Amino acid sequence: IVYDSWINVRDDAVTWSVVAGGGTIDASGRFTAMTAAGDYTDTVRASSGALATSASVTVNPGPATTIIVTPPTATLLPEGSLDFNVAVTDDYGNAIAGTPIWSVTAGGGTIDSAGLFTAGEVAGVYADTVRVQQGSLSATASVTITPGPATTLAVNPTSVTLPPGETQTFTASVSDAWGNARSDTVTWSITAGGGTISSSGQFTATTVAGSYADT
């Protein structure tokens, strides 16, 4: 509206324009917001002759339609930790503020209110175990816990008594500090006589009777 000095309304023509983004405006002053949310200060401009004025526009995000958790998969050692993140957006990709709720639904560890996951001690694949929810939307991530460094090597049986020439299959197990089994390659050898052993752990006793300690 254009006024004179005495606040009388004039019928001067007004030209509308958008000078700082945020949308478009037609000749009648009807503004249409763009899809990018944000504050657009003094963006709508009305001019008439030498006079001009402006208005600011705030474009708010639309309703939340998408929730994404990152990373979608993670691999950790026992008791390792990782920050998960969540992004909630509307149909146009605008971020939606809110308070996400984190939880662990299928084991594998714990997670705090900020999305910091701490792995448990048991190696395994925990599919879709990390869950985040905001409003009616939710998303999940999977965690794989791999065994830690090898700390224990055990042989079974630890002692055996055989007739000359008989065989015994030995097995070996490698595990980490938390008792998780590892798939390390094991090399077999005879160190104090008593027979021979194959690469698969099959021992064949010698024909010479005796006690062969730690062989």
Side-chain angles (χ1 to χ4, degrees):
I1 301 173
V2 181
Y3 301 94
D4 65 13
S5 297
W6 298 273
I7 316 302
N8 296 302
V9 176
R10 295 173 53 88
D11 60 359
D12 303 61
V14 174
T15 301
W16 295 95
S17 61
V18 173
V19 298
T24 59
I25 198 165
D26 65 17
S28 67
R30 182 178 179 81
F31 179 87
T32 301
M34 63 189 301
T35 59
D39 294 318
Y40 300 89
T41 303
D42 296 331
T43 189
V44 174
R45 187 173 189 270
S47 60
S48 179
L51 301 175
T53 190
S54 61
S56 298
V57 173
T58 296
V59 180
N60 291 319
T65 57
T66 303
I67 185 169
I68 297 174
V69 60
T70 54
T73 60
T75 300
L76 297 169
L77 293 173
E79 299 183 354
S81 61
L82 177 69
D83 279 309
F84 283 91
N85 297 290
V86 62
V88 181
T89 57
D90 64 12
D91 278 337
Y92 308 102
N94 296 302
I96 307 293
T99 303
I101 299 172
W102 295 93
S103 60
V104 172
T105 62
T110 60
I111 197 165
D112 67 14
S113 60
L116 177 63
F117 179 86
T118 301
E121 298 178 355
V122 181
V125 178
Y126 300 88
D128 299 326
T129 190
V130 173
R131 184 176 188 268
V132 63
Q133 181 174 358
Q134 185 167 312
S136 62
L137 301 176
S138 65
T140 60
S142 298
V143 174
T144 297
I145 301 175
T146 59
T151 58
T152 303
L153 173 62
V155 64
N156 185 60
T158 56
S159 65
V160 65
T161 300
L162 296 172
E166 289 299 305
T167 63
Q168 169 71 46
T169 299
F170 287 90
T171 60
S173 59
V174 183
S175 57
D176 66 11
W178 297 273
N180 295 302
R182 292 176 52 92
S183 58
D184 301 64
T185 300
V186 174
T187 301
W188 295 95
S189 61
I190 299 296
T191 62
T196 60
I197 196 164
S198 71
S199 61
S200 62
Q202 186 177 47
F203 176 83
T204 302
T206 182
T207 57
V208 180
S211 181
Y212 301 90
D214 296 330
T215 190

